[in-house]
Amino acid sequence: MHKRWVVIWTMAFLFIQGTGPYAAGDREGCGKKETDAKIAGILEAAPLKGGIVAISVRSADSGKLLYEQNGNTLLRPASNMKLLTAAAALETLGKNTRFKTGVYRTGAIQNGTLYGDIYIQGGGDPALLKSDLADWAAELKKQGIRRIQGDLVGDDSRYDDTRYSLDLPWSDEQEYYGAQISALTLSPNRDYDAGTAIFEVVPAKKPGMKARIKMVPESGMVKLVNHVRTVRDGEQQEDDIVISRAHGGNTFTASGTITADSAAVRQWKAVWDPAKWVLSVFKKTLEENGITVQGTIKTGRVKDAAVPVLFSQSPPLSSIMVPFLKFSNNTIAEMLVKEMGKTEKGEGSWEKGLEVIRSVAGNFGMDPDQMMLRDGSGISHADLVRANDLTALLYRIQEKDWFPCFFDALPVAGAENRLEGGTLRNRFKGTAARGQVFAKTGSITGVSTLSGYMQATSGEKLIFSILINNVLDEEAVHQAEEQIVLQFINQGGEG
């Protein structure tokens, strides 16, 4: 249903006259006293006391600033930063771009044995799956290879070797949302949680026994120490499984308990050294397809004498946008930053990629001198943007040919289908905003944000940004955000 709304929205934009950023304090024709009073009441309530709240609301048709509260105050955007990253990536890389991974070999094939090495050259594909590796194995087998005398070598040199953004908390590096960034990486699922493994914990048949733990995808590189114990039904209210990895290695320790009647418990954990992780899973995939590898796995650049075996391509960027924005995928965000740096500046680094984002944001109505960009995902507590600038960006990009795929990738309020609702599927249920708010959520410690598009009950189309910083109760803050949005849904931009 919302796809049809995108078409209407996009067609309506063709009639928009005038562009340009709107200065702070441009409140002509903004909300009535009743709207101001109701929002003031929300801001003065307990969840937001002591916090800082910025609100910016524009007409989607004219770009006119209809309402603002601290709209020009620099605040942490959390994952609303991904709106800038997505817009910059679509603008610079193009919605149809695909990320290419190359497989090469050296040496000759004699009697089913390759007397040389296999190289995998990463091209920044966040959507690489084990099924792709199986296709590679099938192609090698088709070329008559049953045994590889040499090594498996991963080339991740497209990006620099800085694996973590400047401000990633050390405690997040083992979590899926803090995975290492590499030009050669692997996803365990179609959410494209690149650089992570999924651990599936299943209770043993009898209490007292160790639980069974399966890793997806399986790999000889990752080791698991299992201390999870199965307990009787009703012995505890909920499972308390903890899976952790020490810095600098791939030995995971699982501890805690799981009840005998529990369903499988899944946890996503980031691996150390994504390129070697790909090689390890590929080696196992080769073995599953009847190809043995005599050598080791290591990283290095593809040799000039290497012969191309095949090239695989990711889905187009327009498709990757869906898990990126719907599920707020940090790894995709940071890979796109480095790809923009490589494509536009010749260097796959955060520094160069963020320069590209800053430039594109400036072209879309944001003030480049009034922002602090430290990463592409918003996980940094040093990122700073202004709510008025975010709504200016969201207004300007409506004219781009890639806007429909950007819009369609935004979470939809209260939509039960996971691929539609994304991070908003459990919010705004039973309200007038259900199915009428298309927005990016954001959350880091002390911060909650929500920015995007909404349609008021009057039919008026609005662009909004709510940035809330320095608060304590995330769940209560979500409710406050929703109350603010509902005020504009019910009253429109003019109150």
Side-chain angles (χ1 to χ4, degrees), residues 139-184:
E139 179 60 29
L140 291 176
K141 200 169 183 178
K142 185 178 178 182
Q143 294 188 16
I145 299 174
R146 298 294 184 273
R147 183 170 175 268
I148 299 170
Q149 185 66 31
D151 301 321
L152 299 182
V153 186
D155 183 348
D156 61 354
S157 62
R158 182 170 180 81
Y159 303 158
D160 66 8
D161 59 4
T162 302
R163 299 296 180 218
Y164 297 115
S165 56
L166 285 171
D167 306 313
L168 182 82
W170 66 267
S171 56
D172 285 346
E173 72 168 51
Q174 64 176 318
E175 305 301 337
Y176 73 96
Y177 52 81
Q180 293 187 3
I181 306 306
S182 171
L184 178 58

mmCIF file of all heavy atoms in Angstrom, residues 139-184:
data_model
loop_
_atom_site.group_PDB
_atom_site.id
_atom_site.type_symbol
_atom_site.label_atom_id
_atom_site.label_comp_id
_atom_site.label_asym_id
_atom_site.label_seq_id
_atom_site.Cartn_x
_atom_site.Cartn_y
_atom_site.Cartn_z
ATOM 1 N N GLU A 139 31.842 -24.069 -9.557
ATOM 2 C CA GLU A 139 32.555 -23.634 -10.755
ATOM 3 C C GLU A 139 33.978 -24.202 -10.790
ATOM 4 O O GLU A 139 34.459 -24.633 -11.848
ATOM 5 C CB GLU A 139 32.601 -22.106 -10.813
ATOM 6 C CG GLU A 139 33.343 -21.537 -12.009
ATOM 7 C CD GLU A 139 32.749 -21.952 -13.346
ATOM 8 O OE1 GLU A 139 31.521 -22.190 -13.411
ATOM 9 O OE2 GLU A 139 33.522 -22.052 -14.327
ATOM 10 N N LEU A 140 34.653 -24.216 -9.645
ATOM 11 C CA LEU A 140 35.998 -24.798 -9.592
ATOM 12 C C LEU A 140 35.952 -26.286 -9.941
ATOM 13 O O LEU A 140 36.818 -26.805 -10.645
ATOM 14 C CB LEU A 140 36.604 -24.597 -8.193
ATOM 15 C CG LEU A 140 36.961 -23.152 -7.820
ATOM 16 C CD1 LEU A 140 37.449 -23.092 -6.376
ATOM 17 C CD2 LEU A 140 38.035 -22.593 -8.751
ATOM 18 N N LYS A 141 34.911 -26.941 -9.445
ATOM 19 C CA LYS A 141 34.751 -28.371 -9.739
ATOM 20 C C LYS A 141 34.484 -28.573 -11.229
ATOM 21 O O LYS A 141 34.998 -29.522 -11.846
ATOM 22 C CB LYS A 141 33.602 -28.925 -8.897
ATOM 23 C CG LYS A 141 33.626 -30.423 -8.725
ATOM 24 C CD LYS A 141 32.613 -30.848 -7.662
ATOM 25 C CE LYS A 141 32.684 -32.343 -7.421
ATOM 26 N NZ LYS A 141 31.740 -32.764 -6.346
ATOM 27 N N LYS A 142 33.716 -27.672 -11.799
ATOM 28 C CA LYS A 142 33.405 -27.743 -13.224
ATOM 29 C C LYS A 142 34.666 -27.590 -14.066
ATOM 30 O O LYS A 142 34.779 -28.159 -15.158
ATOM 31 C CB LYS A 142 32.392 -26.650 -13.573
ATOM 32 C CG LYS A 142 31.886 -26.674 -15.001
ATOM 33 C CD LYS A 142 30.856 -25.571 -15.211
ATOM 34 C CE LYS A 142 30.365 -25.528 -16.650
ATOM 35 N NZ LYS A 142 29.390 -24.416 -16.858
ATOM 36 N N GLN A 143 35.632 -26.823 -13.543
ATOM 37 C CA GLN A 143 36.891 -26.618 -14.253
ATOM 38 C C GLN A 143 37.884 -27.757 -14.011
ATOM 39 O O GLN A 143 39.034 -27.685 -14.441
ATOM 40 C CB GLN A 143 37.511 -25.280 -13.841
ATOM 41 C CG GLN A 143 36.683 -24.081 -14.289
ATOM 42 C CD GLN A 143 37.392 -22.754 -14.051
ATOM 43 O OE1 GLN A 143 38.598 -22.712 -13.828
ATOM 44 N NE2 GLN A 143 36.638 -21.661 -14.132
ATOM 45 N N GLY A 144 37.400 -28.793 -13.329
ATOM 46 C CA GLY A 144 38.221 -29.988 -13.160
ATOM 47 C C GLY A 144 39.079 -30.018 -11.914
ATOM 48 O O GLY A 144 39.946 -30.893 -11.767
ATOM 49 N N ILE A 145 38.863 -29.101 -10.987
ATOM 50 C CA ILE A 145 39.686 -29.041 -9.768
ATOM 51 C C ILE A 145 39.060 -29.906 -8.673
ATOM 52 O O ILE A 145 37.893 -29.710 -8.310
ATOM 53 C CB ILE A 145 39.841 -27.593 -9.282
ATOM 54 C CG1 ILE A 145 40.545 -26.748 -10.347
ATOM 55 C CG2 ILE A 145 40.614 -27.537 -7.964
ATOM 56 C CD1 ILE A 145 40.613 -25.266 -10.025
ATOM 57 N N ARG A 146 39.838 -30.850 -8.170
ATOM 58 C CA ARG A 146 39.402 -31.695 -7.049
ATOM 59 C C ARG A 146 40.317 -31.521 -5.841
ATOM 60 O O ARG A 146 39.972 -31.929 -4.735
ATOM 61 C CB ARG A 146 39.406 -33.176 -7.463
ATOM 62 C CG ARG A 146 38.450 -33.526 -8.592
ATOM 63 C CD ARG A 146 36.989 -33.350 -8.167
ATOM 64 N NE ARG A 146 36.063 -33.763 -9.212
ATOM 65 C CZ ARG A 146 35.633 -32.997 -10.186
ATOM 66 N NH1 ARG A 146 36.075 -31.733 -10.267
ATOM 67 N NH2 ARG A 146 34.776 -33.424 -11.082
ATOM 68 N N ARG A 147 41.454 -30.892 -6.091
ATOM 69 C CA ARG A 147 42.436 -30.734 -5.028
ATOM 70 C C ARG A 147 43.214 -29.444 -5.279
ATOM 71 O O ARG A 147 43.610 -29.165 -6.414
ATOM 72 C CB ARG A 147 43.383 -31.939 -5.011
ATOM 73 C CG ARG A 147 44.423 -31.950 -3.907
ATOM 74 C CD ARG A 147 45.103 -33.324 -3.899
ATOM 75 N NE ARG A 147 46.190 -33.393 -2.941
ATOM 76 C CZ ARG A 147 47.466 -33.128 -3.207
ATOM 77 N NH1 ARG A 147 47.814 -32.791 -4.451
ATOM 78 N NH2 ARG A 147 48.379 -33.214 -2.279
ATOM 79 N N ILE A 148 43.391 -28.654 -4.222
ATOM 80 C CA ILE A 148 44.154 -27.417 -4.327
ATOM 81 C C ILE A 148 45.442 -27.591 -3.532
ATOM 82 O O ILE A 148 45.417 -27.736 -2.308
ATOM 83 C CB ILE A 148 43.343 -26.217 -3.798
ATOM 84 C CG1 ILE A 148 42.066 -26.037 -4.629
ATOM 85 C CG2 ILE A 148 44.180 -24.943 -3.812
ATOM 86 C CD1 ILE A 148 41.077 -25.049 -4.051
ATOM 87 N N GLN A 149 46.539 -27.622 -4.236
ATOM 88 C CA GLN A 149 47.838 -27.857 -3.594
ATOM 89 C C GLN A 149 48.302 -26.622 -2.810
ATOM 90 O O GLN A 149 49.057 -26.739 -1.846
ATOM 91 C CB GLN A 149 48.886 -28.216 -4.654
ATOM 92 C CG GLN A 149 50.251 -28.608 -4.094
ATOM 93 C CD GLN A 149 50.218 -29.902 -3.293
ATOM 94 O OE1 GLN A 149 49.411 -30.787 -3.597
ATOM 95 N NE2 GLN A 149 51.053 -29.993 -2.275
ATOM 96 N N GLY A 150 47.823 -25.450 -3.193
ATOM 97 C CA GLY A 150 48.284 -24.217 -2.566
ATOM 98 C C GLY A 150 47.356 -23.695 -1.480
ATOM 99 O O GLY A 150 46.616 -24.446 -0.840
ATOM 100 N N ASP A 151 47.377 -22.378 -1.318
ATOM 101 C CA ASP A 151 46.650 -21.709 -0.237
ATOM 102 C C ASP A 151 45.364 -21.053 -0.744
ATOM 103 O O ASP A 151 45.187 -20.842 -1.949
ATOM 104 C CB ASP A 151 47.528 -20.629 0.400
ATOM 105 C CG ASP A 151 48.823 -21.176 0.967
ATOM 106 O OD1 ASP A 151 48.785 -22.286 1.543
ATOM 107 O OD2 ASP A 151 49.863 -20.494 0.832
ATOM 108 N N LEU A 152 44.504 -20.693 0.206
ATOM 109 C CA LEU A 152 43.378 -19.805 -0.059
ATOM 110 C C LEU A 152 43.775 -18.431 0.462
ATOM 111 O O LEU A 152 44.110 -18.277 1.646
ATOM 112 C CB LEU A 152 42.112 -20.291 0.652
ATOM 113 C CG LEU A 152 41.583 -21.673 0.265
ATOM 114 C CD1 LEU A 152 40.291 -21.967 1.026
ATOM 115 C CD2 LEU A 152 41.347 -21.773 -1.235
ATOM 116 N N VAL A 153 43.751 -17.432 -0.424
ATOM 117 C CA VAL A 153 44.253 -16.102 -0.074
ATOM 118 C C VAL A 153 43.137 -15.076 -0.250
ATOM 119 O O VAL A 153 42.488 -15.021 -1.301
ATOM 120 C CB VAL A 153 45.459 -15.716 -0.949
ATOM 121 C CG1 VAL A 153 46.060 -14.386 -0.467
ATOM 122 C CG2 VAL A 153 46.513 -16.819 -0.945
ATOM 123 N N GLY A 154 42.926 -14.270 0.778
ATOM 124 C CA GLY A 154 41.903 -13.230 0.724
ATOM 125 C C GLY A 154 42.504 -11.863 0.501
ATOM 126 O O GLY A 154 43.415 -11.452 1.228
ATOM 127 N N ASP A 155 42.019 -11.152 -0.501
ATOM 128 C CA ASP A 155 42.490 -9.804 -0.812
ATOM 129 C C ASP A 155 41.407 -8.805 -0.417
ATOM 130 O O ASP A 155 40.399 -8.649 -1.102
ATOM 131 C CB ASP A 155 42.806 -9.707 -2.309
ATOM 132 C CG ASP A 155 43.374 -8.343 -2.717
ATOM 133 O OD1 ASP A 155 43.314 -7.407 -1.899
ATOM 134 O OD2 ASP A 155 43.869 -8.230 -3.858
ATOM 135 N N ASP A 156 41.621 -8.128 0.706
ATOM 136 C CA ASP A 156 40.651 -7.130 1.166
ATOM 137 C C ASP A 156 41.222 -5.720 1.058
ATOM 138 O O ASP A 156 40.832 -4.810 1.802
ATOM 139 C CB ASP A 156 40.214 -7.422 2.607
ATOM 140 C CG ASP A 156 41.372 -7.389 3.594
ATOM 141 O OD1 ASP A 156 42.525 -7.260 3.151
ATOM 142 O OD2 ASP A 156 41.114 -7.490 4.818
ATOM 143 N N SER A 157 42.140 -5.519 0.111
ATOM 144 C CA SER A 157 42.883 -4.263 0.008
ATOM 145 C C SER A 157 42.085 -3.112 -0.601
ATOM 146 O O SER A 157 42.588 -1.988 -0.670
ATOM 147 C CB SER A 157 44.162 -4.479 -0.801
ATOM 148 O OG SER A 157 43.862 -4.902 -2.128
ATOM 149 N N ARG A 158 40.853 -3.370 -1.038
ATOM 150 C CA ARG A 158 40.057 -2.258 -1.605
ATOM 151 C C ARG A 158 39.839 -1.177 -0.547
ATOM 152 O O ARG A 158 39.781 0.004 -0.868
ATOM 153 C CB ARG A 158 38.730 -2.774 -2.145
ATOM 154 C CG ARG A 158 37.877 -1.677 -2.786
ATOM 155 C CD ARG A 158 36.672 -2.227 -3.536
ATOM 156 N NE ARG A 158 35.881 -1.157 -4.128
ATOM 157 C CZ ARG A 158 36.168 -0.555 -5.279
ATOM 158 N NH1 ARG A 158 37.237 -0.905 -5.957
ATOM 159 N NH2 ARG A 158 35.389 0.412 -5.746
ATOM 160 N N TYR A 159 39.671 -1.582 0.701
ATOM 161 C CA TYR A 159 39.528 -0.625 1.791
ATOM 162 C C TYR A 159 40.784 -0.649 2.656
ATOM 163 O O TYR A 159 41.566 -1.606 2.604
ATOM 164 C CB TYR A 159 38.315 -0.953 2.658
ATOM 165 C CG TYR A 159 36.998 -1.004 1.930
ATOM 166 C CD1 TYR A 159 35.928 -1.717 2.455
ATOM 167 C CD2 TYR A 159 36.805 -0.334 0.713
ATOM 168 C CE1 TYR A 159 34.710 -1.772 1.804
ATOM 169 C CE2 TYR A 159 35.586 -0.386 0.059
ATOM 170 C CZ TYR A 159 34.542 -1.111 0.602
ATOM 171 O OH TYR A 159 33.335 -1.170 -0.055
ATOM 172 N N ASP A 160 40.956 0.378 3.467
ATOM 173 C CA ASP A 160 42.109 0.407 4.362
ATOM 174 C C ASP A 160 41.957 -0.657 5.451
ATOM 175 O O ASP A 160 40.940 -1.358 5.520
ATOM 176 C CB ASP A 160 42.303 1.809 4.958
ATOM 177 C CG ASP A 160 41.166 2.220 5.896
ATOM 178 O OD1 ASP A 160 40.297 1.390 6.223
ATOM 179 O OD2 ASP A 160 41.147 3.389 6.312
ATOM 180 N N ASP A 161 42.981 -0.793 6.286
ATOM 181 C CA ASP A 161 42.954 -1.861 7.287
ATOM 182 C C ASP A 161 42.476 -1.391 8.654
ATOM 183 O O ASP A 161 42.673 -2.065 9.669
ATOM 184 C CB ASP A 161 44.326 -2.525 7.409
ATOM 185 C CG ASP A 161 45.421 -1.536 7.793
ATOM 186 O OD1 ASP A 161 45.099 -0.354 8.035
ATOM 187 O OD2 ASP A 161 46.596 -1.948 7.845
ATOM 188 N N THR A 162 41.827 -0.226 8.728
ATOM 189 C CA THR A 162 41.200 0.225 9.973
ATOM 190 C C THR A 162 39.840 -0.453 10.078
ATOM 191 O O THR A 162 38.952 -0.189 9.266
ATOM 192 C CB THR A 162 41.031 1.759 9.987
ATOM 193 O OG1 THR A 162 42.315 2.367 9.814
ATOM 194 C CG2 THR A 162 40.420 2.222 11.294
ATOM 195 N N ARG A 163 39.699 -1.311 11.043
ATOM 196 C CA ARG A 163 38.508 -2.166 11.115
ATOM 197 C C ARG A 163 37.344 -1.546 11.887
ATOM 198 O O ARG A 163 36.193 -1.927 11.693
ATOM 199 C CB ARG A 163 38.863 -3.508 11.767
ATOM 200 C CG ARG A 163 39.922 -4.299 11.003
ATOM 201 C CD ARG A 163 39.424 -4.697 9.638
ATOM 202 N NE ARG A 163 40.431 -5.439 8.902
ATOM 203 C CZ ARG A 163 40.650 -5.335 7.615
ATOM 204 N NH1 ARG A 163 39.921 -4.483 6.909
ATOM 205 N NH2 ARG A 163 41.570 -6.048 7.015
ATOM 206 N N TYR A 164 37.649 -0.634 12.787
ATOM 207 C CA TYR A 164 36.594 -0.035 13.618
ATOM 208 C C TYR A 164 36.609 1.480 13.444
ATOM 209 O O TYR A 164 37.678 2.096 13.353
ATOM 210 C CB TYR A 164 36.804 -0.373 15.097
ATOM 211 C CG TYR A 164 36.721 -1.846 15.415
ATOM 212 C CD1 TYR A 164 37.838 -2.535 15.882
ATOM 213 C CD2 TYR A 164 35.531 -2.549 15.255
ATOM 214 C CE1 TYR A 164 37.770 -3.891 16.185
ATOM 215 C CE2 TYR A 164 35.459 -3.902 15.551
ATOM 216 C CZ TYR A 164 36.572 -4.567 16.010
ATOM 217 O OH TYR A 164 36.502 -5.906 16.297
ATOM 218 N N SER A 165 35.421 2.082 13.453
ATOM 219 C CA SER A 165 35.332 3.538 13.391
ATOM 220 C C SER A 165 35.882 4.132 14.684
ATOM 221 O O SER A 165 35.996 3.454 15.712
ATOM 222 C CB SER A 165 33.879 3.973 13.162
ATOM 223 O OG SER A 165 33.026 3.441 14.165
ATOM 224 N N LEU A 166 36.202 5.406 14.637
ATOM 225 C CA LEU A 166 36.937 6.055 15.725
ATOM 226 C C LEU A 166 36.309 5.908 17.093
ATOM 227 O O LEU A 166 37.005 5.735 18.093
ATOM 228 C CB LEU A 166 37.089 7.557 15.407
ATOM 229 C CG LEU A 166 38.108 7.936 14.335
ATOM 230 C CD1 LEU A 166 37.978 9.417 13.996
ATOM 231 C CD2 LEU A 166 39.514 7.620 14.807
ATOM 232 N N ASP A 167 34.999 5.973 17.165
ATOM 233 C CA ASP A 167 34.333 6.051 18.461
ATOM 234 C C ASP A 167 33.551 4.801 18.842
ATOM 235 O O ASP A 167 32.737 4.846 19.769
ATOM 236 C CB ASP A 167 33.384 7.261 18.473
ATOM 237 C CG ASP A 167 34.099 8.549 18.097
ATOM 238 O OD1 ASP A 167 35.186 8.784 18.651
ATOM 239 O OD2 ASP A 167 33.586 9.294 17.250
ATOM 240 N N LEU A 168 33.785 3.684 18.142
ATOM 241 C CA LEU A 168 33.065 2.468 18.500
ATOM 242 C C LEU A 168 33.481 2.044 19.912
ATOM 243 O O LEU A 168 34.673 1.847 20.179
ATOM 244 C CB LEU A 168 33.382 1.333 17.520
ATOM 245 C CG LEU A 168 32.609 0.040 17.806
ATOM 246 C CD1 LEU A 168 31.211 0.130 17.215
ATOM 247 C CD2 LEU A 168 33.342 -1.168 17.256
ATOM 248 N N PRO A 169 32.539 1.868 20.842
ATOM 249 C CA PRO A 169 32.898 1.433 22.200
ATOM 250 C C PRO A 169 33.558 0.059 22.168
ATOM 251 O O PRO A 169 33.143 -0.824 21.417
ATOM 252 C CB PRO A 169 31.540 1.380 22.917
ATOM 253 C CG PRO A 169 30.638 2.272 22.124
ATOM 254 C CD PRO A 169 31.101 2.133 20.708
ATOM 255 N N TRP A 170 34.585 -0.128 22.972
ATOM 256 C CA TRP A 170 35.302 -1.403 22.976
ATOM 257 C C TRP A 170 34.367 -2.560 23.305
ATOM 258 O O TRP A 170 34.547 -3.674 22.819
ATOM 259 C CB TRP A 170 36.462 -1.365 23.982
ATOM 260 C CG TRP A 170 36.022 -1.246 25.414
ATOM 261 C CD1 TRP A 170 35.866 -0.105 26.133
ATOM 262 C CD2 TRP A 170 35.672 -2.330 26.290
ATOM 263 N NE1 TRP A 170 35.428 -0.385 27.399
ATOM 264 C CE2 TRP A 170 35.304 -1.751 27.536
ATOM 265 C CE3 TRP A 170 35.627 -3.714 26.159
ATOM 266 C CZ2 TRP A 170 34.901 -2.514 28.625
ATOM 267 C CZ3 TRP A 170 35.218 -4.479 27.252
ATOM 268 C CH2 TRP A 170 34.864 -3.887 28.465
ATOM 269 N N SER A 171 33.335 -2.297 24.102
ATOM 270 C CA SER A 171 32.416 -3.365 24.510
ATOM 271 C C SER A 171 31.498 -3.813 23.380
ATOM 272 O O SER A 171 30.823 -4.844 23.496
ATOM 273 C CB SER A 171 31.569 -2.902 25.697
ATOM 274 O OG SER A 171 30.876 -1.699 25.382
ATOM 275 N N ASP A 172 31.467 -3.057 22.275
ATOM 276 C CA ASP A 172 30.572 -3.392 21.164
ATOM 277 C C ASP A 172 31.249 -4.222 20.078
ATOM 278 O O ASP A 172 30.580 -4.672 19.150
ATOM 279 C CB ASP A 172 30.016 -2.116 20.520
ATOM 280 C CG ASP A 172 28.935 -1.459 21.362
ATOM 281 O OD1 ASP A 172 28.439 -2.121 22.293
ATOM 282 O OD2 ASP A 172 28.603 -0.297 21.095
ATOM 283 N N GLU A 173 32.555 -4.420 20.163
ATOM 284 C CA GLU A 173 33.253 -5.044 19.042
ATOM 285 C C GLU A 173 32.876 -6.507 18.834
ATOM 286 O O GLU A 173 33.093 -7.041 17.757
ATOM 287 C CB GLU A 173 34.768 -4.908 19.191
ATOM 288 C CG GLU A 173 35.383 -5.769 20.265
ATOM 289 C CD GLU A 173 36.903 -5.803 20.144
ATOM 290 O OE1 GLU A 173 37.523 -4.732 20.054
ATOM 291 O OE2 GLU A 173 37.459 -6.906 20.146
ATOM 292 N N GLN A 174 32.319 -7.178 19.838
ATOM 293 C CA GLN A 174 31.892 -8.557 19.640
ATOM 294 C C GLN A 174 30.418 -8.663 19.244
ATOM 295 O O GLN A 174 29.939 -9.739 18.912
ATOM 296 C CB GLN A 174 32.122 -9.367 20.914
ATOM 297 C CG GLN A 174 31.283 -8.908 22.106
ATOM 298 C CD GLN A 174 31.479 -9.794 23.312
ATOM 299 O OE1 GLN A 174 31.532 -11.013 23.199
ATOM 300 N NE2 GLN A 174 31.602 -9.185 24.478
ATOM 301 N N GLU A 175 29.720 -7.520 19.248
ATOM 302 C CA GLU A 175 28.303 -7.521 18.896
ATOM 303 C C GLU A 175 28.131 -7.356 17.387
ATOM 304 O O GLU A 175 28.963 -6.742 16.721
ATOM 305 C CB GLU A 175 27.574 -6.391 19.630
ATOM 306 C CG GLU A 175 27.739 -6.421 21.139
ATOM 307 C CD GLU A 175 27.230 -7.705 21.771
ATOM 308 O OE1 GLU A 175 26.370 -8.381 21.166
ATOM 309 O OE2 GLU A 175 27.680 -8.047 22.886
ATOM 310 N N TYR A 176 27.034 -7.898 16.863
ATOM 311 C CA TYR A 176 26.823 -7.880 15.411
ATOM 312 C C TYR A 176 26.785 -6.457 14.871
ATOM 313 O O TYR A 176 27.195 -6.198 13.737
ATOM 314 C CB TYR A 176 25.539 -8.630 15.044
ATOM 315 C CG TYR A 176 24.267 -7.895 15.391
ATOM 316 C CD1 TYR A 176 23.609 -7.135 14.449
ATOM 317 C CD2 TYR A 176 23.726 -7.947 16.679
ATOM 318 C CE1 TYR A 176 22.447 -6.447 14.753
ATOM 319 C CE2 TYR A 176 22.576 -7.269 17.003
ATOM 320 C CZ TYR A 176 21.932 -6.519 16.046
ATOM 321 O OH TYR A 176 20.801 -5.830 16.371
ATOM 322 N N TYR A 177 26.316 -5.511 15.669
ATOM 323 C CA TYR A 177 26.234 -4.133 15.195
ATOM 324 C C TYR A 177 27.579 -3.410 15.294
ATOM 325 O O TYR A 177 27.686 -2.250 14.885
ATOM 326 C CB TYR A 177 25.157 -3.357 15.961
ATOM 327 C CG TYR A 177 25.277 -3.425 17.474
ATOM 328 C CD1 TYR A 177 26.165 -2.616 18.157
ATOM 329 C CD2 TYR A 177 24.488 -4.309 18.208
ATOM 330 C CE1 TYR A 177 26.289 -2.675 19.535
ATOM 331 C CE2 TYR A 177 24.597 -4.386 19.584
ATOM 332 C CZ TYR A 177 25.497 -3.562 20.243
ATOM 333 O OH TYR A 177 25.613 -3.638 21.620
ATOM 334 N N GLY A 178 28.600 -4.097 15.828
ATOM 335 C CA GLY A 178 29.924 -3.509 15.894
ATOM 336 C C GLY A 178 30.946 -4.318 15.123
ATOM 337 O O GLY A 178 32.140 -4.281 15.423
ATOM 338 N N ALA A 179 30.494 -5.065 14.116
ATOM 339 C CA ALA A 179 31.384 -5.954 13.355
ATOM 340 C C ALA A 179 32.490 -5.177 12.656
ATOM 341 O O ALA A 179 32.331 -4.007 12.295
ATOM 342 C CB ALA A 179 30.575 -6.744 12.326
ATOM 343 N N GLN A 180 33.615 -5.851 12.447
ATOM 344 C CA GLN A 180 34.737 -5.246 11.734
ATOM 345 C C GLN A 180 34.346 -4.948 10.280
ATOM 346 O O GLN A 180 33.574 -5.688 9.669
ATOM 347 C CB GLN A 180 35.948 -6.178 11.753
ATOM 348 C CG GLN A 180 36.547 -6.370 13.125
ATOM 349 C CD GLN A 180 37.844 -7.170 13.082
ATOM 350 O OE1 GLN A 180 38.334 -7.532 12.008
ATOM 351 N NE2 GLN A 180 38.401 -7.444 14.240
ATOM 352 N N ILE A 181 34.913 -3.869 9.760
ATOM 353 C CA ILE A 181 34.618 -3.448 8.386
ATOM 354 C C ILE A 181 35.765 -3.880 7.483
ATOM 355 O O ILE A 181 36.923 -3.523 7.704
ATOM 356 C CB ILE A 181 34.408 -1.936 8.308
ATOM 357 C CG1 ILE A 181 33.336 -1.494 9.306
ATOM 358 C CG2 ILE A 181 34.029 -1.528 6.890
ATOM 359 C CD1 ILE A 181 32.005 -2.224 9.178
ATOM 360 N N SER A 182 35.430 -4.650 6.467
ATOM 361 C CA SER A 182 36.409 -5.179 5.525
ATOM 362 C C SER A 182 35.785 -5.225 4.143
ATOM 363 O O SER A 182 34.563 -5.384 4.002
ATOM 364 C CB SER A 182 36.838 -6.587 5.956
ATOM 365 O OG SER A 182 37.626 -7.215 4.964
ATOM 366 N N ALA A 183 36.631 -5.099 3.118
ATOM 367 C CA ALA A 183 36.136 -5.200 1.739
ATOM 368 C C ALA A 183 35.780 -6.633 1.377
ATOM 369 O O ALA A 183 35.101 -6.876 0.373
ATOM 370 C CB ALA A 183 37.181 -4.667 0.760
ATOM 371 N N LEU A 184 36.227 -7.590 2.203
ATOM 372 C CA LEU A 184 35.897 -8.999 1.991
ATOM 373 C C LEU A 184 35.279 -9.518 3.276
ATOM 374 O O LEU A 184 35.950 -9.660 4.304
ATOM 375 C CB LEU A 184 37.144 -9.805 1.635
ATOM 376 C CG LEU A 184 36.956 -11.310 1.424
ATOM 377 C CD1 LEU A 184 35.941 -11.586 0.311
ATOM 378 C CD2 LEU A 184 38.292 -11.981 1.103
#
